Amino acid sequence: MWRRRFTSLPLFFSHLQQVRRADELKICQAFCTETVKPPVEGESNSGRNSPFVAFVLGGPGSGKGTQCLKIAETFGFDHIGAGDLLRKEMHSDSENGAMIQKLMKEGSIAPSEVTVKLIKKAIESAENRKFLIDGFPRSEENRVAYERIIGAEPNFVLFFDCPEEVMVKRVLNRNEGRVDDNEHTVKERLKVYKAITLPVANHYDKKGKLYKVDGTGTQEEIFERVRPIFASLSRLST
Ligand SMILES: Nc1ncnc2c1ncn2[C@@H]1O[C@H](COP(=O)(O)OP(=O)(O)O)[C@@H](O)[C@H]1O
Ligand SMILES: O=c1ccn([C@@H]2O[C@H](COP(=O)(O)OP(=O)(O)O)[C@@H](O)[C@H]2O)c(=O)[nH]1
Ligand SMILES: [Mg+2]
């Protein structure tokens, strides 16, 4: 059913552009990308069998997970948190558990093969064909590995833009018992984010696939910036 509904991605992107023109003020809060290029016919992920994938990026504490829950609930996406998959692996008896724990504590990035394998498994075992992949890719190497192993690019990338001091405050108040939510690790994570993850967002921005959203304010205010992006998508699917 999903396949039938999402056969016209170029139509979806041109529709998004029309929505933006028609309601510029409202949409401007959410879209910072100047141009949204429709995927070219025959380009990866435009095939009828490909799942619909949105990567969700932003610094630690920018609100990715919080907003993904709202998007998933409102718009019927499956939420795949790359960090959540790694934490699950870490707490299992897997041979990679100790290695993942060490990397997370350091604020470093896990090997691409490990993360992509977990994401692939999550996609393949789901009945849904619409996915939010939260907190991935965190490096250009992650991105290339995903595109090679999955054989497709994401349909678009949602990016939460948030000042560092706001992100740090949120992380230090998160209180989920995570090994990386402490002052030392968050500093390291911010360095990794700026040096290694931001280039991934820039890559997709250049391709016209990045949707930048102001990540400050209340959870509800942020969701109202995100909503029009996904509402345009679901209008086409009904
Ligand atoms: N808009 C917001 N205002 C205040 N706190 C927030 C907001 N959004 C999320 N939080 C809280 O901040 C912490 C980090 O949010 P989270 O969604 O886990 O971010 P990320 O996944 O990007 O690291 C969580 O404790 C969450 O409840
Ligand atoms: O693709 C990923 C996603 C996460 N991580 C690791 O898991 C940690 C936590 O990631 P998560 O996305 O849960 O953190 P958030 O940004 O949501 O705070 C990161 O700092 C990395 O060490 C990783 O190596 N690769
Ligand atoms: Mg998160």
Side-chain angles (χ1 to χ4, degrees):
M1 183 171 23
W2 179 88
R3 267 179 268 153
R4 198 161 30 83
R5 288 176 168 182
F6 284 89
T7 50
S8 184
L9 281 173
L11 182 62
F12 154 55
F13 280 98
S14 68
H15 179 73
L16 273 185
Q17 285 177 311
Q18 283 166 20
V19 170
R20 185 168 56 164
R21 275 192 291 273
D23 196 358
E24 207 162 353
L25 254 186
K26 190 167 152 204
I27 305 297
C28 263
Q29 293 174 341
F31 293 2
C32 289
T33 309
E34 288 304 315
T35 51
V36 182
K37 293 183 204 125
V40 177
E41 197 63 41
E43 194 180 75
S44 56
N45 220 5
S46 60
R48 291 169 67 88
N49 293 321
S50 308
F52 191 94
V53 171
F55 287 159
V56 181
L57 294 179
S62 60
K64 302 180 294 296
T66 304
Q67 294 300 321
C68 279
L69 288 177
K70 291 179 184 290
I71 299 163
E73 194 190 343
T74 310
F75 295 105
F77 277 70
D78 267 18
H79 173 205
I80 299 177
D84 297 330
L85 293 177
L86 288 166
R87 274 185 289 276
K88 208 166 155 199
E89 189 75 356
M90 182 175 100
H91 292 301
S92 73
D93 287 335
S94 131
E95 51 176 352
N96 292 321
M99 179 264 291
I100 294 170
Q101 172 146 15
K102 182 173 179 289
L103 290 169
M104 274 200 185
K105 243 181 174 164
E106 288 169 356
S108 319
I109 297 168
S112 299
E113 303 291 317
V114 172
T115 316
V116 177
K117 202 170 143 198
L118 293 170
I119 292 172
K120 187 167 188 271
K121 206 167 140 196
I123 291 176
E124 286 173 353
S125 62
E127 284 188 14
N128 202 340
R129 305 311 292 150
K130 295 156 60 178
F131 299 96
L132 302 168
I133 303 188
D134 164 9
F136 178 93
R138 271 183 142 88
S139 67
E140 278 289 283
E141 199 222 323
N142 274 178
R143 177 184 70 73
V144 171
Y146 174 93
E147 291 178 0
R148 176 173 51 80
I149 295 168
I150 305 290
E153 289 187 13
N155 295 86
F156 70 94
V157 181
L158 184 63
F159 176 85
F160 290 102
D161 192 20
C162 205
E164 255 180 63
E165 61 274 18
V166 175
M167 296 197 284
V168 170
K169 212 170 160 187
R170 288 183 190 164
V171 163
L172 297 181
N173 284 328
R174 183 152 44 191
N175 208 15
E176 287 177 5
R178 282 173 48 164
V179 293
D180 53 349
D181 282 351
N182 58 73
E183 222 160 307
H184 173 74
T185 311
V186 82
K187 272 188 194 148
E188 293 306 310
R189 295 175 68 200
L190 283 169
K191 281 188 210 159
V192 168
Y193 166 67
K194 285 186 277 188
I196 303 176
T197 310
L198 275 180
V200 180
N202 289 335
H203 168 85
Y204 288 119
D205 197 12
K206 281 190 200 127
K207 300 195 104 189
K209 286 192 170 187
L210 193 80
Y211 291 76
K212 212 174 192 179
V213 171
D214 177 359
T216 61
T218 65
Q219 297 181 11
E220 292 72 27
E221 283 165 348
I222 298 164
F223 187 61
E224 289 314 311
R225 297 174 194 137
V226 168
R227 189 194 290 279
I229 301 171
F230 288 87
S232 302
L233 191 65
S234 62
R235 263 201 298 279
L236 278 177
S237 70
T238 50

